[in-house]
Amino acid sequence: MTVNELIEKSGYKPVSLPDGEREISGVYIGDLLSWVMGRARADNAWITIMSNINIVAVASLADTSCIIVAENVELPADITATAKAKGVNILSSPDGEYETACLLHSLL
């Protein structure tokens, strides 16, 4: 499934979408950035509630297909701009991390 297909099937709001055709091959959930850096796999959709600029760097280093920010967490404009510049997809989910993961599991 691509990030664009996830948006279509889930209704999640795109916050930054420089590469909507990026494939999603799994899911990783985590809010401790150093933990995510070492454990998320390439092409995972990363679910978090973090709203720190460092999520963009971590997603780029881990080569995740997208960040899904759960619980409608608002991201400052600098994060959105940096994500677009670095080619990092970010989506917004109204659901909690668990519910977001369950939906992704059913779609993948």
Side-chain angles (χ1 to χ4, degrees), residues 28-36 46-50 97:
Y28 192 84
I29 305 168
D31 297 320
L32 184 58
L33 298 179
S34 60
W35 198 265
V36 174
W46 170 28
I47 303 170
T48 186
I49 57 167
M50 295 290 298
E97 290 176 306

Side-chain angles (χ1 to χ4, degrees), residues 87-102:
V88 174
N89 296 314
I90 302 178
L91 310 179
S92 177
S93 166
D95 303 316
E97 290 176 306
Y98 174 76
E99 293 83 7
T100 301
C102 287

Side-chain angles (χ1 to χ4, degrees), residues 48-50 55 67-73 75 90-93:
T48 186
I49 57 167
M50 295 290 298
I55 64 173
I67 301 169
I68 302 173
V69 183
E71 299 186 27
N72 281 328
V73 169
L75 297 178
I90 302 178
L91 310 179
S92 177
S93 166

Side-chain angles (χ1 to χ4, degrees), residues 1-11 20-21 23 107:
M1 165 184 302
T2 67
V3 175
N4 282 333
E5 290 170 336
L6 174 61
I7 292 167
E8 183 181 314
K9 292 177 180 180
S10 67
E21 291 304 309
E23 287 289 329
L107 295 174

